[in-house]
Amino acid sequence: MDISSLNIKKILIIDLAFIGDVILATPLTRAVREHWPTAEITMLTVPLTEEIAQMNPYVDGTIVYDKRGAHRGLSGMWSIARELRRYKFDLAVCVNFALRGAVVAWLARIPYRLGYDAQHGGLFLTWAASHIRKGIKHETENHLEVLEPIGLSTKDLSMRLIPPEKAISSMEEKYGRYGIEKGQYYVVCPLGSYERKNMPMPMAAQLIRELSKKLPVYLIGGKGEKIELDGYAKAGSLPDGHVFAGTLSLQELAVFIQNAAGLATVDTGPMHIAQAVNCPTAAIFGPTDPKVWGPRNENSSYLYSNEPCSPCWGKGECKDNICIKKFKAKDLYEKL
């Protein structure tokens, strides 16, 4: 079937993964937009990542699939599928390996459905791409593989987010409230999605102290990381009010990172946000592979010791976390 011969006017991109994954799918959405410049492109996301998808310049709108709440279970899947039918999408692109996206697209009666063959997803798809990755390459390139069955790609692999005016205005108010000068502060994100990604506290504390000699330093993280981040701030001798733990929306966070002099981080969502808003970034990697997940912008770099046991995704038998601990604060400081 020749995709160019089809009358595609409304496209649904289904991405039900995490913050970083939705950002890393930017080249995929760009490729779709380049091929169908006048189509209406909507992204189906989970509640957490809706704000991220709304900043994607190649997406016209978002729909939320609350798979752990209002759309939980099989009845919830039927419910979201019925909702999607009303939009009369012509094409669905299922970005993730999980079967859920392909099933929802099928239940929504979207006539053309593209996705991966993982977990028998091909049974519900018009075109199925192989889930077996073709070598080790960056995740932005991996995402593009789902488009291969219909012959689409893009030469521009950059990530891009554009914060909305409401987030910019909101951050302007916060800058005034906290006495923060745009472009004159560093951001440090020391905690990842699991413990073995984290910066050791002695390293982070020394990094904070060194950066603070040049510009004010602010720590960022999730609401549930507040106590731990307060400990990092205390160890680094930061004054009160220099920890933002779940106090900024994701769109405000994008503005905050965009206006920073630089970000020092572990492998986590804010690192990908920084790449998408072109903030200079220095990242430290251990249990994950920077060739797949690392920063790629010309103003960014990373540290990676390439231990024989890495990447282990935090599931290895190592108890010393040597892949992270072998680096010193000065190593990351010099990178930044």
Side-chain angles (χ1 to χ4, degrees), residues 45-59:
T45 73
V46 295
L48 173 65
T49 57
E50 182 185 22
E51 284 195 15
I52 295 294
Q54 289 172 343
M55 292 189 284
N56 185 322
Y58 310 107
V59 171

Side-chain angles (χ1 to χ4, degrees), residues 125-172:
L125 298 169
T126 311
W127 302 277
S130 173
H131 69 283
I132 300 173
R133 294 304 193 195
K134 299 174 182 178
I136 298 174
K137 55 187 180 297
H138 199 265
E139 192 65 6
T140 52
E141 298 174 72
N142 286 333
H143 272 76
L144 286 169
E145 289 185 359
V146 75
L147 299 177
E148 288 185 357
I150 59 173
L152 299 191
S153 190
T154 180
K155 294 180 180 180
D156 185 353
L157 300 178
S158 65
M159 294 176 280
R160 192 180 181 205
L161 296 177
I162 301 178
E165 284 298 325
K166 65 177 182 179
I168 295 172
S169 298
S170 178
M171 279 309 304
E172 289 287 351

Side-chain angles (χ1 to χ4, degrees), residues 127-301:
W127 302 277
S130 173
H131 69 283
I132 300 173
R133 294 304 193 195
K134 299 174 182 178
I136 298 174
K137 55 187 180 297
H138 199 265
E139 192 65 6
T140 52
E141 298 174 72
N142 286 333
H143 272 76
L144 286 169
E145 289 185 359
V146 75
L147 299 177
E148 288 185 357
I150 59 173
L152 299 191
S153 190
T154 180
K155 294 180 180 180
D156 185 353
L157 300 178
S158 65
M159 294 176 280
R160 192 180 181 205
L161 296 177
I162 301 178
E165 284 298 325
K166 65 177 182 179
I168 295 172
S169 298
S170 178
M171 279 309 304
E172 289 287 351
E173 186 274 329
K174 288 181 169 66
Y175 284 139
R177 186 195 316 169
Y178 294 106
I180 301 172
E181 185 178 354
K182 286 193 293 185
Q184 298 299 309
Y185 58 89
Y186 287 115
V187 177
V188 176
C189 183
L191 304 177
S193 53
Y194 50 86
E195 185 177 359
R196 289 190 185 177
K197 284 186 179 182
N198 296 350
M199 282 188 208
M201 186 173 288
M203 175 189 181
Q206 182 61 31
L207 175 66
I208 292 166
R209 285 192 290 267
E210 290 300 317
L211 290 174
S212 295
K213 294 175 183 177
K214 298 184 68 175
L215 292 173
V217 174
Y218 293 86
L219 303 187
I220 59 170
K223 184 176 181 180
E225 297 168 334
K226 176 70 164 63
I227 294 175
E228 196 168 358
L229 286 173
D230 283 343
Y232 276 79
K234 183 178 180 180
S237 303
L238 285 183
D240 292 340
H242 281 239
V243 173
F244 291 105
T247 52
L248 302 178
S249 70
L250 287 175
Q251 293 180 351
E252 289 174 333
L253 182 63
V255 177
F256 188 58
I257 292 174
Q258 185 176 48
N259 290 329
L263 169 72
T265 182
V266 295
D267 174 19
T268 191
M271 181 195 70
H272 300 300
I273 292 176
Q275 294 298 283
V277 297
N278 203 32
C279 173
T281 302
I284 185 167
F285 280 76
T288 54
D289 189 345
K291 290 191 291 293
V292 179
W293 304 100
R296 289 167 53 111
N297 292 353
E298 291 182 358
N299 61 1
S300 302
S301 59

